[in-house]
mmCIF file of all heavy atoms in Angstrom:
data_model
loop_
_atom_site.group_PDB
_atom_site.id
_atom_site.type_symbol
_atom_site.label_atom_id
_atom_site.label_comp_id
_atom_site.label_asym_id
_atom_site.label_seq_id
_atom_site.Cartn_x
_atom_site.Cartn_y
_atom_site.Cartn_z
ATOM 1 N N THR A 271 -10.269 160.383 154.310
ATOM 2 C CA THR A 271 -10.610 159.329 155.145
ATOM 3 C C THR A 271 -10.485 158.001 154.459
ATOM 4 O O THR A 271 -9.964 156.968 154.945
ATOM 5 C CB THR A 271 -11.927 159.513 155.871
ATOM 6 O OG1 THR A 271 -11.955 160.772 156.546
ATOM 7 C CG2 THR A 271 -12.157 158.350 156.937
ATOM 8 N N TYR A 272 -11.174 157.879 153.338
ATOM 9 C CA TYR A 272 -11.427 156.564 152.696
ATOM 10 C C TYR A 272 -10.404 156.175 151.655
ATOM 11 O O TYR A 272 -10.192 154.991 151.357
ATOM 12 C CB TYR A 272 -12.770 156.536 152.117
ATOM 13 C CG TYR A 272 -13.819 156.678 153.240
ATOM 14 C CD1 TYR A 272 -14.474 157.968 153.461
ATOM 15 C CD2 TYR A 272 -14.178 155.618 153.969
ATOM 16 C CE1 TYR A 272 -15.365 158.116 154.528
ATOM 17 C CE2 TYR A 272 -15.144 155.737 155.044
ATOM 18 C CZ TYR A 272 -15.695 156.968 155.280
ATOM 19 O OH TYR A 272 -16.643 157.119 156.270
ATOM 20 N N ASN A 273 -9.738 157.156 151.038
ATOM 21 C CA ASN A 273 -8.753 156.836 150.048
ATOM 22 C C ASN A 273 -7.311 157.384 150.296
ATOM 23 O O ASN A 273 -6.421 157.216 149.488
ATOM 24 C CB ASN A 273 -9.144 157.444 148.711
ATOM 25 C CG ASN A 273 -10.566 156.916 148.269
ATOM 26 O OD1 ASN A 273 -10.780 155.671 148.285
ATOM 27 N ND2 ASN A 273 -11.458 157.766 147.878
ATOM 28 N N GLY A 274 -7.119 157.957 151.501
ATOM 29 C CA GLY A 274 -5.834 158.494 151.802
ATOM 30 C C GLY A 274 -4.626 157.546 151.883
ATOM 31 O O GLY A 274 -3.542 157.940 151.611
ATOM 32 N N ALA A 275 -4.904 156.332 152.196
ATOM 33 C CA ALA A 275 -3.769 155.365 152.315
ATOM 34 C C ALA A 275 -3.639 154.519 151.061
ATOM 35 O O ALA A 275 -2.543 153.870 150.900
ATOM 36 C CB ALA A 275 -4.064 154.467 153.520
ATOM 37 N N ASP A 276 -4.522 154.581 150.117
ATOM 38 C CA ASP A 276 -4.499 153.669 148.929
ATOM 39 C C ASP A 276 -3.236 153.713 148.116
ATOM 40 O O ASP A 276 -2.624 152.717 147.778
ATOM 41 C CB ASP A 276 -5.694 153.915 148.143
ATOM 42 C CG ASP A 276 -7.017 153.533 148.661
ATOM 43 O OD1 ASP A 276 -6.965 152.940 149.792
ATOM 44 O OD2 ASP A 276 -8.088 153.715 148.082
ATOM 45 N N GLN A 277 -2.811 154.954 147.891
ATOM 46 C CA GLN A 277 -1.657 155.109 147.004
ATOM 47 C C GLN A 277 -0.311 155.259 147.701
ATOM 48 O O GLN A 277 0.702 155.479 147.020
ATOM 49 C CB GLN A 277 -1.872 156.411 146.115
ATOM 50 C CG GLN A 277 -3.101 156.257 145.171
ATOM 51 C CD GLN A 277 -3.019 155.124 144.229
ATOM 52 O OE1 GLN A 277 -1.959 154.853 143.648
ATOM 53 N NE2 GLN A 277 -4.116 154.397 144.087
ATOM 54 N N ALA A 278 -0.318 155.126 149.048
ATOM 55 C CA ALA A 278 0.969 155.391 149.799
ATOM 56 C C ALA A 278 2.019 154.411 149.314
ATOM 57 O O ALA A 278 3.186 154.825 149.080
ATOM 58 C CB ALA A 278 0.731 155.151 151.275
ATOM 59 N N ALA A 279 1.702 153.110 149.159
ATOM 60 C CA ALA A 279 2.756 152.163 148.727
ATOM 61 C C ALA A 279 3.133 152.315 147.302
ATOM 62 O O ALA A 279 4.308 152.223 147.085
ATOM 63 C CB ALA A 279 2.185 150.663 149.036
ATOM 64 N N THR A 280 2.156 152.605 146.490
ATOM 65 C CA THR A 280 2.495 152.774 145.057
ATOM 66 C C THR A 280 3.500 153.912 144.846
ATOM 67 O O THR A 280 4.522 153.823 144.056
ATOM 68 C CB THR A 280 1.262 152.965 144.240
ATOM 69 O OG1 THR A 280 0.350 151.945 144.443
ATOM 70 C CG2 THR A 280 1.479 152.947 142.717
ATOM 71 N N TYR A 281 3.148 155.094 145.429
ATOM 72 C CA TYR A 281 3.998 156.238 145.210
ATOM 73 C C TYR A 281 5.428 156.064 145.898
ATOM 74 O O TYR A 281 6.431 156.415 145.365
ATOM 75 C CB TYR A 281 3.354 157.455 145.805
ATOM 76 C CG TYR A 281 2.165 158.006 145.024
ATOM 77 C CD1 TYR A 281 1.247 158.779 145.591
ATOM 78 C CD2 TYR A 281 2.081 157.729 143.552
ATOM 79 C CE1 TYR A 281 0.069 159.245 144.840
ATOM 80 C CE2 TYR A 281 1.083 158.203 142.947
ATOM 81 C CZ TYR A 281 0.048 158.926 143.458
ATOM 82 O OH TYR A 281 -1.065 159.427 142.773
ATOM 83 N N ALA A 282 5.419 155.446 147.074
ATOM 84 C CA ALA A 282 6.745 155.163 147.793
ATOM 85 C C ALA A 282 7.523 154.239 146.968
ATOM 86 O O ALA A 282 8.740 154.390 146.826
ATOM 87 C CB ALA A 282 6.447 154.621 149.165
ATOM 88 N N ALA A 283 6.911 153.214 146.433
ATOM 89 C CA ALA A 283 7.657 152.180 145.615
ATOM 90 C C ALA A 283 8.133 152.863 144.337
ATOM 91 O O ALA A 283 9.328 152.592 143.954
ATOM 92 C CB ALA A 283 6.740 150.969 145.292
ATOM 93 N N ALA A 284 7.310 153.686 143.713
ATOM 94 C CA ALA A 284 7.771 154.330 142.521
ATOM 95 C C ALA A 284 9.030 155.293 142.818
ATOM 96 O O ALA A 284 9.970 155.296 142.070
ATOM 97 C CB ALA A 284 6.656 155.183 141.967
ATOM 98 N N ALA A 285 8.909 156.000 143.923
ATOM 99 C CA ALA A 285 10.038 156.868 144.264
ATOM 100 C C ALA A 285 11.273 156.098 144.506
ATOM 101 O O ALA A 285 12.430 156.421 144.071
ATOM 102 C CB ALA A 285 9.696 157.664 145.511
ATOM 103 N N LEU A 286 11.242 154.934 145.242
ATOM 104 C CA LEU A 286 12.360 154.120 145.488
ATOM 105 C C LEU A 286 13.005 153.561 144.247
ATOM 106 O O LEU A 286 14.226 153.528 144.042
ATOM 107 C CB LEU A 286 11.922 152.962 146.425
ATOM 108 C CG LEU A 286 13.093 152.142 147.061
ATOM 109 C CD1 LEU A 286 13.993 152.952 147.872
ATOM 110 C CD2 LEU A 286 12.514 150.968 147.829
ATOM 111 N N LEU A 287 12.177 153.055 143.348
ATOM 112 C CA LEU A 287 12.659 152.442 142.035
ATOM 113 C C LEU A 287 13.352 153.564 141.203
ATOM 114 O O LEU A 287 14.329 153.303 140.550
ATOM 115 C CB LEU A 287 11.587 151.735 141.331
ATOM 116 C CG LEU A 287 11.038 150.465 141.992
ATOM 117 C CD1 LEU A 287 9.779 150.016 141.282
ATOM 118 C CD2 LEU A 287 12.065 149.439 142.056
ATOM 119 N N ILE A 288 12.750 154.714 141.196
ATOM 120 C CA ILE A 288 13.252 155.836 140.392
ATOM 121 C C ILE A 288 14.632 156.257 140.883
ATOM 122 O O ILE A 288 15.512 156.643 140.180
ATOM 123 C CB ILE A 288 12.273 157.083 140.404
ATOM 124 C CG1 ILE A 288 11.086 156.752 139.504
ATOM 125 C CG2 ILE A 288 12.981 158.268 139.978
ATOM 126 C CD1 ILE A 288 9.928 157.640 139.699
#
Side-chain angles (χ1 to χ4, degrees):
T271 305
Y272 297 97
N273 301 312
D276 288 359
Q277 298 299 318
T280 307
Y281 288 155
L286 189 62
L287 292 172
I288 286 164

